[in-house]
Amino acid sequence: MTFENILVNKEDGLAIVTINRPKKLNALNKSTIRELHIAFKDLEANKSVKTIVLTGSGDKAFVAGADISEFAHFNESEGADLARKGQEDLFNLVENLATPVIAAVNGFALGGGLELAMSCHFRVASDNAKMGLPEVSLGVIPGYGGTQRLPQLIGKGKAMELIMTAEMIYADKALDYGLVNYVVTQEELLPLCYKLAGKIINNSSVAIAAAIKAINAGFSTTGYQVEIDTFGACFATEDFKEGTSAFLEKRKANFPKT
C-alpha cells in the first residue's frame, strides 16, 4: 500500500516505520493515525517481521504533537470520541502489538507524540530530544493514554509534576526519570535501535509476544476510560476554547480565573 504520511521499509526481520510530515514536525493528524493503524496491523500479520522501529523524518521531531486545528472546534462528545478512537486505533494497538516496537525519538516528542512514544515497548532518544505533555496549557488533558502511561513509566509524583506544569524536559532528564532507556547522538540513534532489534530478532517471537501480553496485564486498569471521559469534558469548558484559540493565534492563553 502507498501511504501519504508515513514510510515503511522492511529488511531482514526488521521494519522501520517513519512518520513523514517534516514540514509539520511530523504532527499527528487523522490521516496519519489511520495510516499508522494500517501499517502496524499489516506488520503484525507479517510473520517475517520480528521487530519494528518507529521514528520521525528529519532531525527535529519524532512527533511534535497532535494537529490542534483538527479538533479545536469539537464539543464534549466529539472530544471523547477523538480520544477513544485514537486510543483504540493506534496507541493501545501499538502497546499491545505482538511484535515489539522500539521508539527512536529523534527530536521533539510532545503531547500526542510523547504518548505515541510511550505506547511503544521501549524508547531510545537522541541527545537533542525534548519531551513533554503540554495539554493543560490548552485547557485540556492528555487524551491518548498519557495520564496512564507516564505514571507507569516514571512514577506518580513526577508524572503529576510534568502534566500539571506542562514542562518540556531534555533527553538526559528523561533518561534519569526512566522515560527512555538510552540517550545517544543523532548519528548513533538508529544504529543502536537496529542493534537492539537484532538482539530481539534472535529470540522466540512466540515467547516475546507472550511476554508483552503478560507485562501489559500488570498495568490493566479502568484509567484509560476515565481519561477519555475527562478529556471529552474539557471540550465543554471556556478554558479549552481560550487555550486552543491562543495556540492557533500564536499568543499566550489568558485562562478565566473563576
Side-chain angles (χ1 to χ4, degrees), residues 113-127:
L114 180 55
E115 288 174 299
L116 181 57
M118 290 192 295
S119 73
C120 297
H121 297 114
F122 60 92
R123 289 143 295 284
V124 180
S126 59
D127 52 14

Side-chain angles (χ1 to χ4, degrees), residues 45-154:
N46 187 336
K47 299 306 178 184
S48 69
V49 174
K50 305 296 185 182
T51 308
I52 301 167
V53 172
L54 175 65
T55 194
S57 62
D59 57 5
K60 294 182 178 179
F62 173 73
V63 173
D67 193 334
I68 307 299
S69 64
E70 283 195 336
F71 59 78
H73 62 285
F74 278 13
N75 61 29
E76 181 174 349
S77 64
E78 289 171 322
D81 286 343
L82 175 73
R84 182 179 298 104
K85 185 168 178 55
Q87 288 191 24
E88 291 173 353
D89 287 355
L90 181 58
F91 299 83
N92 293 350
L93 171 67
V94 171
E95 180 176 61
N96 294 296
L97 209 71
T99 307
V101 184
I102 304 170
V105 183
N106 57 312
F108 288 108
L110 304 175
L114 180 55
E115 288 174 299
L116 181 57
M118 290 192 295
S119 73
C120 297
H121 297 114
F122 60 92
R123 289 143 295 284
V124 180
S126 59
D127 52 14
N128 71 318
K130 297 178 183 178
M131 299 165 227
L133 296 175
E135 284 87 347
V136 296
S137 68
L138 301 176
V140 72
I141 66 169
Y144 286 146
T147 65
Q148 305 304 298
R149 294 189 180 98
L150 189 62
Q152 291 169 10
L153 289 166
I154 71 172

Side-chain angles (χ1 to χ4, degrees), residues 6-224:
I6 67 173
L7 304 172
V8 180
N9 296 292
K10 298 185 288 288
E11 183 177 352
D12 297 330
L14 174 64
I16 302 97
V17 178
T18 305
I19 300 168
N20 189 34
R21 303 183 73 215
K23 292 182 179 179
K24 296 289 186 179
L25 294 179
N26 303 321
L28 291 177
N29 58 5
K30 292 179 182 177
S31 178
T32 304
I33 289 174
R34 182 169 57 253
E35 290 184 10
L36 286 168
H37 170 85
I38 294 169
F40 278 113
K41 292 290 284 186
D42 287 348
L43 291 171
E44 185 179 40
N46 187 336
K47 299 306 178 184
S48 69
V49 174
K50 305 296 185 182
T51 308
I52 301 167
V53 172
L54 175 65
T55 194
S57 62
D59 57 5
K60 294 182 178 179
F62 173 73
V63 173
D67 193 334
I68 307 299
S69 64
E70 283 195 336
F71 59 78
H73 62 285
F74 278 13
N75 61 29
E76 181 174 349
S77 64
E78 289 171 322
D81 286 343
L82 175 73
R84 182 179 298 104
K85 185 168 178 55
Q87 288 191 24
E88 291 173 353
D89 287 355
L90 181 58
F91 299 83
N92 293 350
L93 171 67
V94 171
E95 180 176 61
N96 294 296
L97 209 71
T99 307
V101 184
I102 304 170
V105 183
N106 57 312
F108 288 108
L110 304 175
L114 180 55
E115 288 174 299
L116 181 57
M118 290 192 295
S119 73
C120 297
H121 297 114
F122 60 92
R123 289 143 295 284
V124 180
S126 59
D127 52 14
N128 71 318
K130 297 178 183 178
M131 299 165 227
L133 296 175
E135 284 87 347
V136 296
S137 68
L138 301 176
V140 72
I141 66 169
Y144 286 146
T147 65
Q148 305 304 298
R149 294 189 180 98
L150 189 62
Q152 291 169 10
L153 289 166
I154 71 172
K156 181 179 176 181
K158 285 296 183 184
M160 286 279 196
E161 178 184 347
L162 286 181
I163 289 171
M164 289 192 285
T165 62
E167 180 185 2
M168 184 167 56
I169 61 172
Y170 288 89
D172 56 349
K173 185 172 285 189
L175 180 64
D176 289 342
Y177 286 179
L179 185 53
V180 301
N181 291 35
Y182 302 95
V183 174
V184 294
T185 65
Q186 276 275 357
E187 293 75 19
E188 296 171 313
L189 180 61
L190 287 178
L192 176 56
C193 289
Y194 299 160
K195 180 179 179 180
L196 292 167
K199 292 182 178 181
I200 294 170
I201 289 169
N202 288 331
N203 297 318
S204 164
S205 295
V206 172
I208 287 171
I212 291 170
K213 183 177 181 179
I215 292 167
N216 285 343
F219 296 96
S220 179
T221 70
T222 60
Y224 291 99

